[in-house]
Amino acid sequence: MENQTTVPYFLLLEFSKNQHLQLLHFFIFFVLYMATVTTNLLIISAVAFDHRLHSPMYFFLMNLAVQDIGAVSVIVPKSMINSLMDTRCISYFGCAAQIFLFLFFVASDFSLLTVMAYDRYVAICRPLHYEMVMDWKYCTKIIILVWVTCLFYGMLHTIGTFSIRFCSNVVNQFFCEIPQVLKLSCSGINLFEVAVLMASVIVVLGCFTFIVLSYTMIFKTVLRIPSEQGRQKALSTCIPHITVVSVFLLTGFLAYMRRPSDMPSYLDFGLTVLYSLLPPLFNPIIYSMRNKNIKFVLSHMWRF
């Protein structure tokens, strides 16, 4: 393809030229997508309609479920349609929209997980000040700040990615993933995007450090609780969050610490599925299995 600033469209990863395998890909992604949307909608419904879950912790959890639905909805339906219609195309602006929205939702996820660590810290280490600190006005401001900041973050990344000249339009992934799109550049290193990436690394490390410090203080406090029942009750609200954070960071680490191959790779594809589809699916399941209040509300909803 002739060197140009923009390309009219991009070609996403072709799974197979065999129609039966394309239909298998559609079916697998359809099952994963429906399972993810259904489980997260159950969490949203439980928190929204049951007054027993009207607290800051579950308010944050409901927002996490909304962001998880958004993240998978940005990338999975287009991949399913391509397999069903036997095509690989995504428009230039469609690719830019995928990158912008996916980054927005993923960044919002991690930001909210950081906020939830602070919520658990205040609830366990400063229980007498919890209602005063984590009131509804403050929680609403936090959510607005997370969404606005991550919108700006997604916009910066998208501008940096699409300010380059492309020498090819073949993206070796099932959606427009930034590392794969940047590989198509024929204009060398983009300093703006490098600056955004460096800022991203600093922010992620800062959030990770904050989460670790929060749980260090939480565990110190829990160990000082005299009763076994009290310790178990305190930990029961922390274990799901720790598990969700661990899944999020581990899958992202596995996907991005490996340099993408120059040719289509099933390993790259598998790692991308790992970090983009599995956390949104597992998050509501983890919270449902480990949180007694959510289990009770969901079982009550199921009976009706």
Side-chain angles (χ1 to χ4, degrees):
M1 178 172 291
E2 181 183 355
N3 290 358
Q4 49 188 359
T5 303
T6 62
V7 293
Y9 58 88
F10 292 93
L11 296 175
L12 298 176
L13 178 68
E14 184 177 40
F15 293 95
S16 174
K17 295 182 180 179
N18 186 305
Q19 187 177 7
H20 292 92
L21 292 178
Q22 290 178 343
L23 291 175
L24 177 63
H25 159 250
F26 170 83
F27 176 75
I28 293 173
F29 268 40
F30 177 78
V31 170
L32 288 173
Y33 180 67
M34 292 306 298
T36 301
V37 172
T38 302
T39 51
N40 280 285
L41 281 177
L42 284 173
I43 294 293
I44 294 170
S45 302
V47 175
F49 297 114
D50 197 292
H51 66 90
R52 286 164 292 193
L53 301 182
H54 289 176
S55 67
M57 181 178 76
Y58 298 110
F59 175 64
F60 293 140
L61 179 59
M62 182 177 68
N63 277 271
L64 186 70
V66 171
Q67 291 160 1
D68 284 340
I69 291 175
V72 295
S73 297
V74 167
I75 61 175
V76 175
K78 176 60 178 175
S79 182
M80 291 192 300
I81 291 171
N82 280 0
S83 291
L84 199 60
M85 303 298 293
D86 192 21
T87 181
R88 301 171 57 192
C89 292
I90 183 171
S91 69
Y92 179 88
F93 292 105
C95 186
Q98 267 197 346
I99 286 179
F100 168 66
L101 291 172
F102 184 70
L103 281 175
F104 162 64
F105 285 118
V106 171
S108 298
D109 255 21
F110 190 52
S111 300
L112 197 50
L113 289 172
T114 306
V115 171
M116 292 169 76
Y118 176 69
D119 173 75
R120 291 300 84 207
Y121 164 77
V122 177
I124 294 173
C125 300
R126 299 288 186 269
L128 299 178
H129 300 90
Y130 183 74
E131 292 187 4
M132 181 178 65
V133 174
M134 303 299 292
D135 62 4
W136 284 109
K137 184 177 180 180
Y138 181 68
C139 291
T140 304
K141 286 181 178 179
I142 290 177
I143 292 298
I144 293 173
L145 180 63
V146 166
W147 285 77
V148 171
T149 303
C150 293
L151 275 172
F152 182 67
Y153 171 77
M155 191 183 303
L156 285 178
H157 254 309
T158 306
I159 292 172
T161 301
F162 286 89
S163 62
I164 63 178
R165 292 191 303 120
F166 296 108
C167 289
S168 173
N169 68 339
V170 180
V171 180
N172 292 324
Q173 195 50 264
F174 70 93
F175 71 99
C176 287
E177 187 186 35
I178 282 186
Q180 294 290 347
V181 174
L182 289 177
K183 282 169 53 182
L184 309 180
S185 170
C186 56
S187 55
I189 297 176
N190 186 313
L191 295 180
F192 181 80
E193 180 62 15
V194 170
V196 175
L197 287 171
M198 292 299 295
S200 303
V201 171
I202 293 171
V203 171
V204 168
L205 289 176
C207 290
F208 176 72
T209 303
F210 181 84
I211 292 172
V212 170
L213 291 176
S214 297
Y215 274 103
T216 300
M217 299 299 293
I218 287 171
F219 289 136
K220 286 183 178 180
T221 302
V222 169
L223 291 175
R224 290 198 294 266
I225 297 176
S227 68
E228 180 70 22
Q229 185 178 3
R231 288 195 295 270
Q232 290 180 353
K233 184 178 180 180
L235 288 174
S236 67
T237 64
C238 297
I239 291 175
H241 180 257
I242 295 173
T243 307
V244 167
V245 172
S246 300
V247 170
F248 184 92
L249 292 176
L250 181 61
T251 54
F253 179 83
L254 290 174
Y256 280 97
M257 287 301 104
R258 180 181 181 273
R259 184 180 180 275
S261 58
D262 294 328
M263 298 296 292
S265 166
Y266 287 112
L267 180 58
D268 285 342
F269 169 72
L271 291 174
T272 302
V273 169
L274 194 68
Y275 89 87
S276 61
L277 299 186
L278 295 191
L281 173 61
F282 287 150
N283 289 353
I285 295 174
I286 291 169
Y287 271 102
S288 300
M289 290 176 61
R290 300 294 306 184
N291 189 292
K292 292 181 180 179
N293 292 333
I294 291 181
K295 286 170 67 175
F296 177 80
V297 172
L298 289 177
S299 62
H300 185 72
M301 289 174 59
W302 182 260
R303 285 197 295 270
F304 283 91

